[in-house]
Amino acid sequence: MAGRAFAALVDWGTSNFRIWLVDSQGEVLAERQSAEGMGSLDRSAYPAVLESHLSAFGASPDLPVVVAGMAGARTGWREAPYVETPAPLVGLFQHAIIPDGASRPVYILPGVCQRKDGAFDVMRGEETQLAGALEQGLENALICLPGTHSKWALVEDGQISRFTTVMTGELYNLISRQSILRLSIPEDGDAEADLDIFDQAVDQALEPGFALTSRLFSIRAEGLLSAGGKTGPAARLSGLLIGSEIAAIATDLKRHGKAYLIGTGKLTRLYARAIAQAGGEAVMLDGGLLVRRGLLASALSLFDHEFKE
């Protein structure tokens, strides 16, 4: 298996580590994942963690590795400086750095930053998925990566022209667990269990002049005044927050007509539903496939591939 391998591709996040052994066409020969993310590692531990997974593959000692994600953060293996917007996705490999302590060729890809008054922003890892989307033909697209800190990126002519990080998921957790609304929202609250209420809340958030902070307490008041009626507080809070996020990108959504969602699961389905309510089309993309495509594109540009099939 290792004789056919072209490279190892690594997505090294804050909480998780994923590695794929691939041939030069991107076919996955083997893969592994673990909870050895940046948040649980000392800087000195990175080489050993990487080698333990490569050893499990039986990879050759000179097999090259391309890494994306938080291994390149300031508190990671070695900082890979940000590339500023507008950031060409096809050229990310040109800014890769070589970390200390590696016993083989290892390249860590950079993140992307935005330096604009009132809209300073950073991403690290998501840009590689966007590079994978470019490999899939999305040279001009509005792309969303739902999560605790969602990312909205506008890709124009193969470049990240601008992007926004939205703390919707974190706000949901803070509001539902630490504010007065904790008395109304159960810990196991499920927005998908009350989709009609979620839809109503999204519609409210999309109304002209909507102000999120003036609507939040109504969730608590509704529970007190409903006299046993159905209230769906988790769905209402989710709808207000996600709807507010969609409202903020309404102009871009109207211009593009669709938004590409990189993700899976319940949260991504809720985003797709809210986008449809705003008059857009949501198109789902496979994040794991995209990060591999982005990493492979960089690997093909970085490495001598004499043994390419």
Side-chain angles (χ1 to χ4, degrees), residues 34 59-60 69 84 95 116 160 162 164 169 181-182 186 190 204 214 222-223 226 230 237 239 243 256 265 282 287 297:
S34 74
S60 63
E84 293 189 28
H95 305 276
K116 181 180 179 183
I160 302 175
R162 55 183 165 85
T164 304
L181 297 188
R182 74 187 187 280
D190 182 359
Q204 290 177 352
S214 68
E222 183 180 21
S226 64
K230 182 179 178 182
L237 179 58
H256 286 267

Side-chain angles (χ1 to χ4, degrees), residues 103-305:
S103 60
R104 65 178 68 242
V106 176
Y107 299 86
I108 299 178
L109 298 178
V112 172
C113 73
Q114 182 170 272
R115 298 181 188 273
K116 181 180 179 183
D117 287 344
F120 286 93
D121 217 324
V122 295
M123 67 167 67
R124 195 176 287 282
E126 295 91 349
E127 72 292 324
T128 307
Q129 291 178 302
L130 297 177
L134 178 64
E135 290 293 311
Q136 194 169 298
L138 297 181
E139 294 184 355
N140 295 279
L142 176 64
I143 301 177
C144 176
L145 300 94
T148 301
H149 296 160
S150 298
K151 302 282 188 186
W152 286 89
L154 187 62
V155 177
E156 297 179 309
D157 298 326
Q159 299 185 111
I160 302 175
S161 59
R162 55 183 165 85
F163 67 98
T164 304
T165 302
V166 190
M167 295 172 59
T168 299
E170 184 168 354
L171 283 173
Y172 180 91
N173 290 331
L174 289 170
I175 292 169
S176 64
R177 299 278 68 84
Q178 297 187 40
S179 79
I180 187 66
L181 297 188
R182 74 187 187 280
L183 302 175
S184 300
I185 300 174
E187 290 192 19
D188 60 352
D190 182 359
E192 282 196 316
D194 297 296
L195 287 175
D196 55 335
I197 293 175
F198 175 83
D199 292 344
Q200 292 170 13
V202 170
D203 284 340
Q204 290 177 352
L206 294 173
E207 293 173 355
F210 172 80
L212 177 63
T213 54
S214 68
R215 292 291 183 94
L216 289 175
F217 188 75
S218 68
I219 296 172
R220 175 63 177 160
E222 183 180 21
L224 295 172
L225 301 173
S226 64
K230 182 179 178 182
T231 61
R236 191 168 301 283
L237 179 58
S238 291
L240 291 176
L241 290 171
I242 294 175
S244 297
E245 184 176 333
I246 303 302
I249 55 89
T251 300
D252 286 330
L253 183 59
K254 183 177 181 180
R255 180 156 60 93
H256 286 267
K258 63 179 66 174
Y260 292 88
L261 295 178
I262 300 177
T264 59
K266 182 184 303 182
L267 183 60
T268 304
R269 293 193 297 269
L270 290 175
Y271 271 76
R273 192 176 185 92
I275 288 167
Q277 283 183 247
E281 177 188 355
V283 181
M284 306 290 196
L285 300 177
D286 182 335
L289 176 60
L290 293 185
V291 75
R292 291 198 304 274
R293 283 181 171 171
L295 284 163
L296 179 64
S298 288
L300 289 168
S301 298
L302 280 165
F303 304 147
D304 227 355
H305 36 95

Side-chain angles (χ1 to χ4, degrees), residues 12-14 17 35-46 49 75-76:
W12 213 322
T14 301
F17 170 95
E36 296 162 300
M38 179 203 70
S40 63
L41 296 178
D42 292 326
R43 178 163 290 171
S44 61
Y46 282 86
V49 169
T75 55

Side-chain angles (χ1 to χ4, degrees), residues 76-101:
W77 189 349
R78 181 185 170 191
E79 184 175 12
Y82 293 110
V83 176
E84 293 189 28
T85 55
L89 290 167
V90 75
L92 290 175
F93 73 93
Q94 296 175 351
H95 305 276
I97 59 97
I98 299 172
D100 300 324

Side-chain angles (χ1 to χ4, degrees), residues 12-33:
W12 213 322
T14 301
S15 303
N16 297 300
F17 170 95
R18 294 188 296 173
I19 183 169
W20 298 273
L21 197 67
V22 300
D23 66 16
S24 59
Q25 304 303 311
E27 179 184 349
V28 176
L29 307 176
E31 60 184 296
R32 291 171 62 88
Q33 64 179 35

Side-chain angles (χ1 to χ4, degrees), residues 2-3 5 21 50-51 54-55 57-65 102-106:
L21 197 67
L50 178 61
E51 287 302 320
L54 291 169
S55 176
F57 286 153
S60 63
D62 60 348
L63 183 77
V65 181
S103 60
R104 65 178 68 242
V106 176

